[in-house]
């Protein structure tokens, strides 16, 4: 049966949707509350045997488009469509369904449409309209729940109820259920931050799920744990870098390319999405679903599967935290959304118009649908970027009411209503010049109604360089703040921002060479520093967070290969990371940097010389690509690389750098070289923290935190903390500088240390397990933890 014969417009249901929207706007206390009701009906839903669709389309009012020229375009593949193939050309049957318009909204209902599931591909759809010249225009669904070909292509009708019904963690959510109101999720003990594409060799959510399923099996059977296993264990929560659809290739290819267009059919050249991105370059459209690049099967069920494996992990469930980016849109968002979503350009691309009640409602609805995949917590990226222009006062204001609305959202999974735990990254007044001095990192905490809202703390926020001498002493004032008010801060120095910041620092600065013999060793140990782990997990309040790439001592950088216009400039800015993360041996490994080698950069020295020239020329020419290529070709002796530098080959080099670095950063490359002692130590530290949840709290009146004085060329922190059951914990951590010489930790002049009997509970490598106490010469990155039992 043809598509046209198998589907039918349901006029009564479509009009019911329009009337519901009208009633919502009439009966609501204000337009925002009315739009929130309507937002729940937007997108595509399966209801009462029909597929029901709703769109917000103010651009059609702007263009005075008659209702008779607006249709739902339904596309059904006329042959099997394999979402795991790199490329295929498919003919789609096409049908046009009338819509019912209610002011700036359009609704329709259709019977006979096929919804996608885990096992089948469904029909695709978009809203279309015809202009006075009979030209057709397509409006994509920003609230789509399946986008196999990205946010710039038609969406797939998806059976979300079937996806939820197949959850493997229903018992986990049912156990959360409390009284009549929604359950409020609390904070985890600690967090492992993960970038899905570099976390496993497979680079997908399915691959990460298999990895955790394997770990769960080994733990449940009490099998020996290798360092690669220990790397992922001991965490109460997993936080994924954003998994929303991101930007696409600026210069193509598009993942959905129409090559033949008829009234009743459409031929499309389909490419499996393959962009590499760290996740923060979003276009806002499609935020309710999963980036298809991360889906091995092309099915959004993979995110539910990961949540299920984490929630059913043996011994103790692991929470899932999703990182959401609603503070800005890349400029590509202008392609995907109508102009009413935006409030003008910013440093990232576009500001969003949070004061528009419909935009505000739709953004919150996107968030609600995304967290309903089964997340326990939400990390809000760049909360200081949520701003609106106060025309009366002629100033930008922070939209704290919107942040509160985010935290107030109620989720429902497996019949359980709950409110997730919330973390805000907010460094206001960043990016003002004095932000490092003036930011309190408490702006959101102090304004939210709940007392369990968290923020990134001062050592977690973006700009930290713990491998430069005097870092720890210069940050002591911030650390003092942490012990006093850090209970609701995320702590730790290793995350996607800080590690990238480390790769951007000039090696000519005062680098702490005691951390390692090479730059790679120094960088690795700075962000996987045993003494810092002791500081974070034992001495500091708050919730510790570790970045997987840092803990694996894998590489990391600004990963985005979609740029055409500014791609060369981005690589010029990243070029310095070669000095920190790639040595001659690493470059020579055949599987590494294959694309750059194929372009003529056969050795690291070849690439290094090119990357010395490129940043200087970008600056001198003010990023004039034509002039840059002329100067590159004129260099003596000639540079390695393409036989001739043109704008096209230069862009090819930039793309090769991004793709090769993305592959190089994969954690699987670092697993064989993990240090067994370090991996076991880190797991022991995490276990120590999990056994003592009271360590999250701020210091009490009897607790002490200080550094040894006189300094004598080293920074050594001391901490004494008192538990509620009478247990005391003493920490001594050598953070930087010269060795201490022989000192007896338990004889130091710390008030209260002379009472009770102490035992050594934790020792950083290379301190052996035979050390129980007494004189010791502590060097950089060495630390000890002593416990006095009640």
């Amino acid at each position: 049966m043809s598509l046209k014969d198998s589907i039918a417009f349901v006029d009564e249901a479509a009009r019911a949707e329009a009337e519901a929207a009208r009633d919502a706007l009439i009966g609501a206390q204000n337009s925002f509350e009315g739009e929130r009701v309507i937002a729940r009906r937007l997108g595509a839903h399966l209801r009462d045997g029909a597929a029901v669709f709703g769109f917000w389309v103010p651009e059609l009012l702007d263009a005075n488009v008659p209702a008779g020229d607006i249709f739902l375009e339904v596309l059904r593949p006329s042959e099997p469509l394999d979402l795991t193939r790199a490329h295929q050309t498919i003919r789609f049957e096409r049908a046009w369904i009338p819509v019912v318009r209610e002011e700036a909204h359009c609704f329709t209902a259709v019977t006979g449409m096929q919804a996608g599931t885990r096992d089948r591909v469904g029909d695709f759809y978009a809203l279309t309209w015809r202009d006075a010249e009979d030209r057709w225009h397509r409006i994509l669904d920003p609230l789509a729940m399946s986008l196999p070909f990205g946010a710039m292509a038609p969406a797939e009708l998806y059976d979300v109820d079937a996806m939820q019904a197949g959850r493997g963690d229903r018992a986990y959510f049912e156990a959360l259920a409390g009284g009549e109101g929604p359950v409020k999720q609390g904070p985890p003990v600690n967090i492992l931050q993960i970038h899905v594409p570099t976390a496993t060799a497979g680079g997908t959510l399915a691959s990460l799920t298999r990895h955790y399923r394997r770990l769960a099996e080994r733990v449940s059977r009490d099998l020996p744990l290798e360092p690669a296993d220990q790397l992922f264990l001991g965490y109460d929560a997993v936080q994924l870098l954003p998994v929303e659809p991101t930007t696409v290739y600026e210069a193509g290819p598009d993942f959905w390319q129409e090559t033949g267009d008829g009234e009743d059919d459409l031929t499309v050249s389909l490419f499996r999405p393959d962009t590499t991105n760290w996740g923060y370059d979003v276009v806002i459209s499609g935020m309710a679903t999963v980036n298809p690049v991360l889906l091995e099967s092309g099915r959004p069920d993979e995110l539910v599967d990961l949540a299920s494996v984490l929630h059913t992990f043996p011994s103790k469930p692991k929470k899932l935290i999703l990182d959401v980016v609603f503070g800005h849109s890349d400029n590509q968002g202008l392609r995907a959304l109508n102009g009413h979503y935006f409030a003008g350009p910013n440093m990232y691309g576009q500001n969003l118009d949070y004061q528009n009640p419909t935009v505000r409602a739709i953004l919150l609805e996107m968030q609600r649908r995304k967290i309903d995949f089964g997340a326990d917590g939400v990390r809000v990226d760049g909360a200081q970027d949520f701003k609106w222009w106060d025309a009366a006062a002629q100033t930008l204001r922070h939209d704290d009411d919107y942040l509160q609305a985010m935290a107030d959202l109620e989720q429902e999974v497996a019949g359980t209503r709950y409110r997730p735990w919330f973390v805000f990254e907010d460094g206001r007044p960043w990016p003002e010049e004095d932000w490092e001095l003036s930011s309190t990192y408490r702006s959101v905490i102090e304004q939210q109604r709940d007392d369990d809202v968290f923020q990134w703390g001062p050592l977690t926020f973006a700009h930290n360089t713990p491998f430069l001498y005097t870092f720890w002493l210069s940050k002591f004032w911030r650390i003092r703040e942490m012990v006093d008010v850090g209970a609701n801060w995320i702590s730790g120095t290793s995350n996607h921002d800080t590690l990238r910041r480390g790769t951007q620092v000039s090696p000519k600065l005062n680098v702490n060479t005691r951390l390692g013999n090479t730059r790679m060793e120094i960088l690795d140990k700075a962000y996987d520093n045993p003494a810092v782990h002791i500081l974070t997990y034992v001495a500091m309040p708050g919730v510790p967070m570790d970045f997987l790439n840092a803990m694996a001592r894998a590489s990391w950088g600004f990963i985005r290969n979609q740029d055409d216009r500014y791609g060369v400039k981005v690589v010029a800015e990243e070029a310095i990371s070669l000095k920190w993360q790639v040595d001659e041996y690493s470059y020579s490994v055949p599987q590494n940097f294959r694309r750059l080698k194929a372009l003529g950069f056969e050795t690291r020295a070849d690439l290094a010389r090119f990357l010395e020239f490129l940043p200087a020329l970008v600056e001198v020419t003010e990023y004039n690509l034509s002039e840059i290529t002329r100067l590159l070709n004129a260099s003596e002796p000639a540079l390695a690389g393409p036989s001739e530098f043109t704008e096209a080959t230069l862009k090819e080099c930039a793309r090769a750098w991004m793709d090769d670095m993305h592959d190089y950063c994969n954690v699987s490359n670092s697993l064989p070289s993990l240090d067994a002692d370090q991996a076991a130590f880190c797991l022991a530290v995490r276990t120590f923290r999990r056994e003592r949840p009271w360590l999250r709290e701020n210091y009490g009146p009897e607790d002490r935190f200080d550094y040894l004085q006189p300094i004598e060329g080293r920074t050594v922190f001391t901490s004494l903390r008192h538990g509620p059951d009478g247990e005391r914990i003493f920490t001594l951590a050598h953070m930087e500088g010269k060795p201490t010489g022989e000192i007896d930790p338990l004889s130091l002049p710390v008030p209260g240390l002379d009472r009770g009997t102490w035992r050594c509970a934790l020792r950083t490598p290379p301190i052996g397990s035979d050390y129980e106490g007494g004189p010791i010469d502590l060097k950089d990155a060495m630390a000890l933890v002593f416990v006095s039992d009640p």
Side-chain angles (χ1 to χ4, degrees):
M1 185 183 297
S2 69
L3 175 63
K4 283 188 173 182
D5 292 335
S6 62
I7 65 174
F9 171 56
V10 187
D11 181 79
E12 183 178 356
R15 295 191 181 280
E17 292 295 306
E19 290 170 7
R22 185 186 313 121
D23 292 344
L25 290 175
I26 293 173
Q29 290 184 342
N30 53 57
S31 57
F32 170 58
E33 293 302 328
E35 293 292 354
R36 291 194 73 172
V37 173
I38 296 172
R40 294 291 293 264
R41 312 182 83 92
L42 298 181
H45 303 270
L46 299 176
R47 191 181 305 138
D48 299 327
V52 181
F53 300 86
F55 293 83
W56 178 56
V57 286
E59 66 268 44
L60 299 187
L61 290 181
D62 297 341
N64 295 315
V65 178
D69 285 325
I70 309 170
F71 300 88
L72 181 77
E73 179 186 22
V74 179
L75 300 164
R76 175 175 293 172
S78 59
E79 55 191 288
L81 197 167
D82 185 353
L83 297 178
T84 66
R85 288 185 57 181
H87 178 242
Q88 58 199 308
T89 299
I90 297 290
R91 187 178 72 86
F92 287 82
E93 293 183 80
R94 175 155 61 183
W96 312 87
I97 303 296
V99 303
V100 176
R101 187 163 76 181
E102 175 60 35
E103 297 298 334
H105 296 93
C106 285
F107 300 95
T108 193
V110 191
T111 57
M113 284 186 67
Q114 180 170 287
T117 65
R118 181 189 294 272
D119 301 316
R120 74 181 181 206
V121 177
D123 293 334
F124 289 75
Y125 68 92
L127 199 69
T128 57
W129 60 279
R130 179 173 49 204
D131 64 22
E133 284 75 40
D134 280 337
R135 292 173 303 193
W136 288 93
H137 307 267
R138 185 178 281 153
I139 297 174
L140 304 174
D141 182 7
L143 285 155
M145 293 305 294
S146 179
L147 292 166
F149 301 101
M152 305 298 179
E156 177 193 11
L157 176 64
Y158 209 73
D159 192 337
V160 175
D161 289 341
M163 179 177 70
Q164 293 284 10
R167 303 189 69 95
D169 58 354
R170 297 187 65 84
Y172 169 83
F173 282 100
E174 290 167 357
L176 288 179
E180 295 182 2
V183 179
K184 182 67 175 75
Q185 291 269 41
V189 173
N190 59 353
I191 303 169
L192 178 63
Q193 186 189 41
I194 290 178
H195 177 244
V196 173
T198 59
T200 62
T204 62
L205 284 165
S207 178
L208 185 61
T209 299
R210 287 192 296 270
H211 185 76
Y212 271 104
R213 189 173 289 126
R214 172 188 168 276
L215 284 176
E217 181 68 17
R218 293 186 67 81
V219 169
S220 64
R221 294 170 60 185
D222 198 24
L223 295 173
L225 299 174
E226 299 177 322
D229 300 327
Q230 295 171 327
L231 185 67
F232 288 83
L233 297 176
Y235 292 99
D236 269 17
V238 169
Q239 177 179 309
L240 305 180
L241 268 68
V243 296
E244 290 80 43
T246 62
T247 53
V248 297
Y249 297 119
E250 286 182 347
D254 291 332
F255 304 134
W256 176 288
Q257 298 182 26
E258 297 174 8
T259 59
D261 188 359
E263 176 70 21
D264 298 328
D265 64 359
L266 183 68
T267 302
V268 186
S269 180
L270 299 170
F271 292 85
R272 178 177 169 84
D274 62 350
T275 50
T276 58
N277 197 288
W278 61 345
Y280 294 94
D281 301 302
V282 299
V283 295
I284 298 299
S285 185
M287 294 287 280
T289 189
V290 186
N291 185 352
V293 175
L294 308 181
L295 299 175
E296 184 177 292
S297 63
R299 307 287 77 192
D301 302 66
E302 290 184 25
L303 183 54
V304 171
D305 293 343
L306 177 61
S308 298
V309 168
L310 293 174
H311 289 155
T312 58
F313 202 83
S315 72
K316 185 177 183 180
K318 296 182 184 294
K319 295 185 177 184
L320 174 64
I321 301 169
L322 295 182
D323 192 342
V324 297
V325 188
F326 286 103
H328 64 273
S329 169
D330 185 273
N331 283 323
Q332 288 191 26
L334 297 170
R335 289 178 52 192
L337 298 169
N338 70 66
H340 292 259
Y341 279 91
F342 304 105
N346 64 21
M347 63 189 297
Y348 302 111
Q350 295 292 319
N351 291 304
L352 297 171
D353 188 0
Y354 304 103
Q355 295 300 293
N356 183 311
T358 310
V359 173
R360 198 177 185 90
I362 289 174
L363 295 178
L364 289 170
E365 178 62 12
M366 288 178 176
Q367 175 191 316
R368 187 191 67 80
R369 295 186 192 186
K370 186 53 163 284
I371 307 308
D372 269 357
F373 272 89
D376 304 271
V378 181
R379 184 261 182 182
V380 179
D381 178 68
Q384 70 276 340
D385 299 327
F386 291 75
K387 298 176 183 176
W388 60 280
W389 178 252
D390 185 339
Q394 289 293 292
T395 187
L396 276 175
R397 298 195 184 279
H398 291 280
D399 199 338
D400 289 303
D401 289 341
Y402 184 85
L403 300 182
Q404 182 70 63
M406 296 180 84
D408 287 343
L409 273 182
E410 181 181 314
Q411 309 298 142
E412 183 171 349
V413 178
T416 296
R417 294 161 53 216
Y418 69 98
R419 288 175 53 221
W421 176 60
F422 260 80
V423 180
F424 293 89
E425 180 204 24
D426 192 306
R428 69 183 77 173
W430 189 89
E432 293 180 12
E433 291 183 358
D434 69 341
W435 70 268
E436 288 194 84
L437 288 174
S438 55
S439 176
T440 66
Y441 301 95
R442 296 182 57 77
S443 297
V444 183
I445 290 173
E446 292 170 350
Q447 295 196 45
Q448 292 262 329
R449 286 189 291 270
D450 291 329
D451 60 6
D452 60 352
V453 169
F454 276 60
Q455 283 188 228
W456 273 23
L459 292 188
T460 306
F461 202 70
H463 302 286
N464 283 314
T465 52
F467 55 92
L468 297 181
Y469 274 123
T470 74
F471 171 82
W472 290 105
L473 198 56
S474 69
K475 291 288 185 179
F476 186 75
W477 68 285
R478 283 297 194 190
I479 295 172
R480 284 296 316 172
E481 288 182 336
M482 291 178 70
V483 304
D484 293 333
V485 298
N488 282 44
W489 274 343
I490 303 300
S491 62
T493 61
S494 70
N495 60 70
H496 72 281
D497 271 333
T498 54
L499 184 52
R500 188 221 171 190
R501 169 67 172 168
T503 69
Q504 300 299 297
V505 172
S506 170
K508 295 180 181 179
L509 295 180
N510 195 16
V511 174
N512 182 359
T513 54
R514 288 186 170 92
L515 287 173
N517 297 318
T518 67
R519 289 171 184 160
M520 288 179 67
E521 287 182 337
I522 292 169
L523 190 72
D524 287 345
K525 195 168 185 179
Y527 293 102
D528 179 29
N529 186 322
V532 177
H533 294 320
I534 290 291
L535 180 73
T536 302
Y537 276 83
V538 183
M540 291 292 104
V543 171
M545 182 177 73
D546 300 322
F547 182 37
L548 176 62
N549 291 61
M551 299 300 291
R553 300 196 175 183
S555 296
W556 179 249
F558 182 70
I559 299 174
R560 183 178 70 195
N561 69 354
Q562 295 100 307
D563 295 339
D564 179 70
R565 183 178 180 184
Y566 290 112
V568 174
K569 186 176 183 180
V570 171
V571 171
E573 294 170 352
E574 291 291 299
I576 195 171
S577 67
L578 182 75
K579 298 178 180 180
W580 285 107
Q581 300 195 98
V582 186
D583 59 17
E584 291 182 9
Y585 172 76
S586 299
Y587 195 87
S588 69
V589 173
Q591 72 182 38
N592 292 340
F593 302 97
R594 296 175 291 108
R595 301 169 186 86
L596 286 167
K597 289 172 183 174
L599 287 171
F601 301 106
E602 297 180 1
T603 68
R604 183 191 181 281
D606 291 339
L607 181 61
R609 184 163 178 257
F610 169 71
L611 292 180
E612 288 288 345
F613 275 71
L614 186 62
L617 296 181
V618 166
E619 182 176 358
V620 168
T621 66
E622 298 183 340
Y623 196 52
N624 183 321
L625 286 179
S626 177
E627 186 66 7
I628 291 172
T629 57
R630 185 187 70 80
L631 293 170
L632 288 173
N633 289 323
S635 63
E636 290 291 344
L639 290 166
S643 57
E644 180 184 10
F645 285 101
T646 64
E647 291 188 29
T649 59
L650 192 55
K651 290 179 179 180
E652 188 178 359
C653 291
R655 170 72 180 273
W657 163 269
M658 282 296 179
D659 288 337
D660 280 343
M661 279 301 294
H662 176 262
D663 293 346
Y664 182 66
C665 289
N666 196 285
V667 167
S668 64
N669 298 326
S670 300
L671 298 183
S673 58
L674 288 177
D675 182 276
D677 291 339
Q678 174 72 357
F681 161 77
C682 290
L683 179 56
V685 172
R686 296 193 289 271
T687 301
F688 186 90
R689 179 72 170 224
R690 293 176 76 185
E691 292 171 347
R692 296 165 177 83
W694 60 269
L695 288 172
R696 201 210 98 189
E697 302 303 326
N698 296 328
Y699 275 40
E702 292 186 288
D703 297 335
R704 301 287 183 268
F705 188 90
D706 209 339
Y707 58 88
L708 292 185
Q709 301 179 54
I711 293 174
E712 296 181 343
R714 74 282 196 272
T715 301
V716 180
F717 290 155
T718 62
S719 165
L720 180 62
R721 306 189 65 180
H722 296 71
D725 58 357
E727 181 185 47
R728 294 183 298 155
I729 298 175
F730 174 64
T731 300
L732 185 68
H734 189 305
M735 308 307 298
E736 60 184 345
K738 297 177 181 178
T740 61
E742 292 288 317
I743 62 171
D744 185 347
L746 297 176
S747 297
L748 293 172
V750 176
L753 191 59
D754 56 345
R755 300 191 306 271
T757 301
W758 296 88
R759 60 182 173 84
C760 189
L762 292 171
R763 314 159 185 82
T764 58
I767 304 173
S769 59
D770 56 338
Y771 176 80
E772 295 293 342
I776 186 172
D777 183 12
L778 291 179
K779 299 179 176 62
D780 204 318
M782 294 172 64
L784 294 163
V785 175
F786 296 88
V787 172
S788 177
D789 296 322

